[in-house]
Amino acid sequence: MSKKTYIIANWKMQLTNKEAADLANSLKHESIKTLKQNIELILCPSFAALSAVAEAIKKSEIKLGAQNVFYHEKGAYTGETSPSQLKELGVDYVIIGHSERRQYQKETNEEINQKIKVCLANDLTPILCVGETFEERQIGKTDLILIQQITKALQDVKLNNNQNLIIAYEPVWVIGSGQAVEPKEAQHASAVIRGLLPEFFSHEIIKNNISIIYGGSVDESNVMDFIKPGVIDGALVGGASLKAEKFLSLIRAVETE
Ligand code: PGA
């Protein structure tokens, strides 16, 4: 059985709750007719809009994702949201370690590691984001950064046959820039990441349960330059997922391949 192709919309903090629900509704109406079985379409609105989006995509194949989670189950953690609270809302996926959180919330690799573990313990699939900054790239440290981020994030992480992990390579400097990296650079990053996985997981788990995707200025015109089954199994999409027509063109571009 071939693996799914993931199309993941990261709406960041870009939409009002109503705009998020309306967008989810439009996507549901259109994609219900067309969404191919092997495509997993995941919408990640901000926390405040999760319920409204969950309601909008009810009875469709579209899945719900969150943009973050806290690493404790319960307790005096003002402002945080637990994995089981997300699960209760119908969330199946969680973006973890997005570069914007690493930058603005100072999220560390150690916290990211805990968040991955807590997701897996709660039947949530982590979407782990890794990638180098422009400065790191300039001094030739891209591979090193990927190695550090992956080895710290995956320390003592265990996956069973029923659990999945998605790793998104997102070069920080192209996010939101309108200019993606060359597909061969994304393929190189995928190979570096893949090369690290046997340290943590069995061959079977790597083959069946782990997917590597690309994110950073993906749109309908370039998405298929990146997707290559077994190498890059999907895209994490920010700006190009915020308008129904544009995002649907991207989905259709993936479907027609
Ligand atoms: P972008 O964002 O598609 O707007 O570059 C991607 C992301 O940050 O996940």
Side-chain angles (χ1 to χ4, degrees):
M1 197 183 74
S2 73
K3 262 201 245 176
K4 291 195 173 190
T5 300
Y6 292 98
I7 305 177
I8 306 174
N10 177 8
W11 290 345
K12 309 190 179 185
M13 205 178 69
Q14 302 281 25
L15 302 171
T16 65
N17 297 338
K18 182 171 181 318
E19 284 167 345
D22 288 349
L23 179 52
N25 253 314
S26 312
L27 296 170
K28 174 171 114 173
H29 287 304
E30 278 307 306
S31 63
I32 254 175
K33 296 179 228 153
T34 59
L35 205 59
K36 272 214 221 137
Q37 286 239 311
N38 67 330
I39 293 184
E40 184 88 328
L41 178 59
I42 305 164
L43 306 182
C44 305
S46 52
F47 279 168
L50 279 170
S51 296
V53 172
E55 184 60 32
I57 59 177
K58 242 191 201 159
K59 299 203 178 86
S60 80
E61 292 300 312
I62 302 177
K63 298 290 194 303
L64 189 61
Q67 298 175 15
N68 182 34
V69 66
F70 195 51
Y71 46 80
H72 286 302
E73 300 284 354
K74 201 180 165 109
Y77 302 107
T78 302
E80 296 294 349
T81 305
S82 74
S84 50
Q85 287 172 325
L86 293 179
K87 203 67 209 170
E88 257 183 287
L89 290 176
V91 169
D92 285 317
Y93 294 88
V94 183
I95 297 174
I96 295 178
H98 189 281
S99 60
E100 286 150 15
R101 292 200 57 82
R102 292 180 192 254
Q103 183 183 353
Y104 301 120
Q105 273 73 32
K106 306 284 173 256
E107 206 162 275
T108 65
N109 286 317
E110 289 70 24
E111 285 167 330
I112 289 164
N113 174 252
Q114 291 186 57
K115 289 181 179 191
I116 292 175
K117 288 175 183 160
V118 93
C119 276
L120 292 169
N122 283 276
D123 196 21
L124 293 161
T125 298
I127 303 164
L128 164 65
C129 298
V130 294
E132 80 288 1
T133 62
F134 186 69
E135 293 71 30
E136 288 161 347
R137 174 191 166 82
Q138 287 293 84
I139 54 171
K141 279 195 161 174
T142 300
D143 292 4
L144 186 69
I145 293 296
L146 292 177
I147 293 167
Q148 281 173 353
Q149 290 180 341
I150 292 283
T151 45
K152 288 187 180 155
L154 296 184
Q155 197 181 343
D156 300 323
V157 169
K158 304 261 177 303
L159 282 184
N160 65 37
N161 295 337
N162 302 315
Q163 293 171 317
N164 294 318
L165 169 68
I166 302 169
I167 301 174
Y169 169 59
E170 294 208 304
V172 178
W173 49 285
V174 301
I175 292 175
S177 71
Q179 183 69 56
V181 291
E182 287 295 317
K184 65 174 184 332
E185 292 191 46
Q187 286 161 20
H188 169 78
S190 166
V192 171
I193 295 167
R194 209 169 291 281
L196 297 166
L197 298 178
E199 222 178 283
F200 303 93
F201 308 107
S202 70
H203 175 72
E204 281 299 294
I205 291 283
I206 297 169
K207 190 164 133 243
N208 301 322
N209 302 71
I210 301 182
S211 300
I212 298 173
I213 66 172
Y214 168 76
S217 294
V218 174
D219 62 19
E220 71 279 15
S221 68
N222 64 15
V223 64
M224 286 316 297
D225 298 339
F226 288 99
I227 292 178
K228 209 166 173 237
V231 182
I232 293 182
D233 285 300
L236 181 52
V237 188
S241 69
L242 294 170
K243 292 260 183 313
E245 258 324 302
K246 192 164 172 66
F247 192 37
L248 284 164
S249 319
L250 185 153
I251 297 166
R252 287 187 201 114
V254 177
E255 285 177 338
T256 47
E257 280 297 306

